[in-house]
Amino acid sequence: MDDQLPPATVSSRRYGVLIQKLRQAGLRPTRQRLALASLLFERGNQHVCAEALYDQAQRAGIRVSVATVYNTLNQFTAAGLLREVVAVPGRFYFDSNLSDHHHFFFEVTGTLEDIPSDRMVLAHLPEPPAGTAVARVDIVVRVQPVKPSPV
Amino acid sequence: MDDQLPPATVSSRRYGVLIQKLRQAGLRPTRQRLALASLLFERGNQHVCAEALYDQAQRAGIRVSVATVYNTLNQFTAAGLLREVVAVPGRFYFDSNLSDHHHFFFEVTGTLEDIPSDRMVLAHLPEPPAGTAVARVDIVVRVQPVKPSPV
DNA sequence: GTGATTGCAAATCTTTTGCACTAAA
DNA sequence: TTTAGTGCAAAAGATTTGCAATCAC
């Protein structure tokens, strides 16, 4: 339960890398931002929505409000530390993996999994409409559990 | 302004095809459903969200409530008359084009445009994770206006 | 100390729902 | 007549915002 940062720890060694990261992004390394950044960037690729991250934070004993989780996710995204994934209508997902890649979306669980870009190749990208340029290509492969084979 | 259906018109010739379509889908051809179906299915491929369709209906002089627009879009989708497009977080889009295809998404206007499937080929679809099967692949090509070339 | 950040609660936005009324069959 | 469908307004779910209190520098 005391997984929480005592004030003195904010500028400690433990968070050195994250502090740099936030500073470089122009964000003040506050206790909440560091704790959330730790959940997002120190555990491999993460796909989260605000609610899920808030829950993780609660479980980790981090005292942070829902509003701050939302604000932080948006600030991190604006700063280029996260990117948005559009997988479900009605919900904002964020991805800590900034490399070029796509996603499996598990329809039953609502979770995402990365597909490295070299495992998914577009043979034929159409010309964008006149006056426009391609900003990004998002591919979502929706998967479902296979139904048990009939006996 | 009197674009609206008088009760007698509901079973008229004008809506014959749509009436069939709704009946086959197991939906009673009511005045509101027919009017919305007309907007959706008699003007080529449409990409709409509830609000946009409601606005179109208003402009066409159709008396329909927002709740009915939402319900109708969901019923049409459940009946296989529409499909959902996931393009933006926080909003439900529907597509009257049921054929296999993908989308351009115009980031500034928030509008969609079809990409016929033969103009967009996946060279390499990765194996789905064990125990799952691919239900659908959604590709969204996000485009932006090209910035005017420097003089 | 000063300005940025946080937390809370209220506000907003989109979508869904309950229920009395209306219309289709 | 009988049941499905509609409209309204209230509810619900997700996200944003205003403002006083708190924290980083």
Side-chain angles (χ1 to χ4, degrees), chain A residues 27-41:
Chain A
L27 297 169
R28 208 182 260 193
T30 65
R31 217 175 306 168
Q32 290 83 344
R33 284 180 184 157
L34 283 169
L36 295 175
S38 172
L39 292 177
L40 290 167
F41 305 123

Side-chain angles (χ1 to χ4, degrees), chain B residues 23 29 67 70-71 74 91-92:
Chain B
R23 284 242 168 77
Y70 276 101
N71 289 336
N74 288 331
R91 199 156 210 136
F92 291 69

Side-chain angles (χ1 to χ4, degrees), chain A residues 20 27 30 33 39-43 47 51 54-55 86 90 97 111-112 127 132-133 149:
Chain A
Q20 286 314 310
L27 297 169
T30 65
R33 284 180 184 157
L39 292 177
L40 290 167
F41 305 123
E42 292 186 329
R43 304 188 305 162
H47 302 97
E51 196 190 8
Y54 178 73
D55 289 348
V86 182
N97 180 355
T111 54
L112 290 160
E127 279 298 303
T132 68
S149 52

